[in-house]
């Protein structure tokens, strides 16, 4: 899931968009797992190990503003490991029960205290599929740097009669609190450039803040849909993000900083002037042509 920013026609900044891709789902391109060989289910202990490595970095895993950082790191770690053993695939399956159990064990939380964004993944049986094969990731860079590693991600719950096409929840732990809308199928590309991580071609993610002046404006405009997020982790564990969202014909880009505790601010902190260079690097031109799904 992704925090987002957009503007009204009067030019008011309505929110800011920062990565927390919460493995949710919504109508979009054809799910990756419907093609090719059956995916390989990742062992629970491997997911636990990857999450534990992130937990050791000291950022708050419980807030949705850090979920994108956690998810991207875990998926990239597992996909790199799988590619070293099976260069051509098949895709990975991160089962919803294993993801939940790994998070619970790493955080040491009881079931009653598990964050809602994790609990709902279990409740809706929301699985993740990660395709690192050449057919899915043979992109063409038209402008900008070339990624070191690429995966195609699909997160979804099973379809069927009376199956809901989306769910929503409000996470009150971040500042500001956030309403998150998850559709049944989410798809995106996850690219590791070494000095930044990019979530691109995002389908099925929306949200908005629920408090303050921004929330009042957004009641008129409605939820914004994330389309791209670029982020870099810097000294002190801060996450600097440059992201894009759209609402109808409006498309706006913005920069934000997320602190390890999950607090998020627009732009970069005044007492960290060196982060302006990081933000500028994240804004560099980047044009990529992806394979058709």
């Amino acid at each position: 899931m992704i925090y987002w920013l957009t503007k009204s026609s009067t030019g008011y900044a309505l929110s800011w968009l920062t990565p927390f891709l919460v493995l949710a789902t919504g109508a979009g391109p054809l799910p990756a797992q419907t093609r090719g060989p059956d995916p390989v289910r990742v062992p629970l202990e491997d997911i636990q190990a990857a999450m534990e490595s992130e937990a050791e970095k000291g950022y708050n895993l419980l807030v949705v503003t850090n979920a994108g950082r956690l998810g991207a790191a875990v998926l990239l770690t597992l996909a790199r490991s799988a590619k070293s053993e099976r260069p051509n695939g098949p895709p990975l399956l991160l089962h919803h029960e294993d993801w939940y159990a790994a998070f619970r064990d790493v955080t040491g939380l009881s079931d009653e205290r598990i964050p809602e964004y994790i609990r709902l993944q279990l409740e809706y049986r929301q699985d993740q599929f990660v395709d690192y094969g050449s057919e899915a990731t043979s992109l063409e860079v038209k402008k900008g740097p070339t990624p070191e590693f690429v995966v195609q991600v699909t997160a979804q719950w099973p379809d069927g009669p009376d199956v809901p096409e989306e769910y929503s929840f409000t996470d009150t732990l971040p500042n500001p609190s956030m309403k998150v809308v998850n559709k049944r199928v989410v798809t995106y590309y996850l690219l590791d450039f070494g000095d930044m991580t990019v979530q691109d071609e995002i389908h099925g993610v929306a949200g908005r803040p629920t408090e303050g002046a921004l929330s009042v404006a957004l009641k008129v405009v409605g939820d914004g849909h994330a389309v791209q997020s670029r982020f870099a982790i810097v000294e002190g564990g801060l996450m600097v993000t440059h992201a894009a969202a759209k609402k109808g014909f409006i498309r706006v880009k913005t920069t934000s900083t997320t602190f390890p505790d999950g607090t998020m601010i627009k732009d970069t902190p005044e007492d960290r002037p060196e982060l302006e260079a990081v933000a500028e690097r994240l804004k560099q031109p980047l044009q990529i042509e992806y394979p058709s799904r």
Side-chain angles (χ1 to χ4, degrees):
M1 206 57 61
I2 293 180
Y3 270 92
W4 59 285
L5 176 146
T6 186
K7 287 184 177 179
S8 68
S9 58
T10 58
Y12 289 107
L14 300 182
S15 179
W16 45 91
L17 181 142
T18 188
F20 65 93
L21 200 56
V22 172
L23 317 175
T25 54
L30 184 67
Q33 73 274 17
T34 61
R35 304 193 306 268
D38 291 337
V40 173
R41 182 168 174 171
V42 179
L44 170 59
E45 55 268 26
D46 291 354
I47 302 175
Q48 287 175 323
M51 282 192 184
E52 185 61 47
S53 179
E54 289 302 295
E56 292 172 357
K57 296 178 182 178
Y59 63 91
N60 187 357
L61 305 187
L62 307 186
V63 293
V64 75
T65 42
N66 281 330
R69 176 178 177 179
L70 172 65
V74 171
L75 297 188
L76 288 171
T77 295
L78 295 173
R80 284 183 186 275
S81 177
K83 190 174 180 66
S84 68
E85 299 177 3
R86 302 181 299 274
N88 296 316
L92 303 179
L93 161 62
L94 284 80
H95 196 275
H96 58 277
E97 292 180 352
D98 297 331
W99 189 266
Y100 179 90
F103 188 91
R104 180 189 58 200
D105 293 345
V106 167
T107 60
L109 296 174
S110 64
D111 290 330
E112 292 75 19
R113 296 183 59 208
I114 292 291
E116 190 169 18
Y117 84 88
I118 294 290
R119 179 181 57 77
L120 286 172
Q121 293 172 37
L122 177 68
E123 200 172 289
Y124 278 75
R125 299 186 294 156
Q126 193 172 45
D127 294 328
Q128 302 167 68
F129 300 85
V130 182
D131 194 344
Y132 57 85
S134 59
E135 184 176 342
T137 61
S138 57
L139 50 79
E140 182 179 355
V141 178
K142 297 289 188 178
K143 185 182 296 184
T146 299
E148 298 177 358
F149 191 63
V150 181
V151 297
Q152 181 185 351
V153 182
T154 300
Q156 69 174 36
W157 62 79
D159 197 3
D162 301 321
V163 170
E165 283 300 313
E166 66 177 45
Y167 66 74
S168 65
F169 67 94
T170 299
D171 192 313
T172 59
L173 288 177
N175 182 21
S177 61
M178 186 72 186
K179 176 191 175 184
V180 177
V181 179
N182 296 331
K183 295 189 177 294
R184 199 186 62 79
V185 179
V186 160
T187 57
Y188 63 99
Y189 285 93
L190 181 59
L191 304 90
D192 182 3
F193 288 84
D195 60 352
M196 72 173 175
T197 302
V198 175
Q199 296 158 336
D200 201 8
E201 291 288 297
I202 303 166
H203 295 267
V205 177
R208 63 182 172 85
T210 61
E211 57 190 7
L214 296 177
S215 67
V216 175
L218 286 171
K219 287 180 180 178
V220 178
V221 177
D223 295 336
H225 299 271
V227 293
Q228 187 190 79
S229 179
R230 313 176 186 183
F231 67 91
I233 309 303
V234 300
E235 184 178 356
L238 279 68
M239 178 171 62
V240 180
T241 300
H242 183 68
K246 65 180 180 179
K247 175 63 180 179
F249 296 106
I250 302 172
R251 181 181 176 121
V252 176
K253 300 176 181 179
T254 190
T255 300
S256 62
T257 302
T258 304
F259 292 83
D261 67 356
T263 299
M264 183 179 59
I265 63 170
K266 192 175 182 297
D267 297 322
T268 55
E270 293 182 358
D271 61 349
R272 296 287 301 272
E274 77 279 8
L275 297 188
E276 293 182 10
V278 177
E280 288 303 312
R281 188 179 78 240
L282 293 175
K283 297 176 186 177
Q284 64 187 308
L286 183 63
Q287 183 180 349
I288 297 177
E289 199 170 277
Y290 296 95
S292 58
R293 304 196 187 200

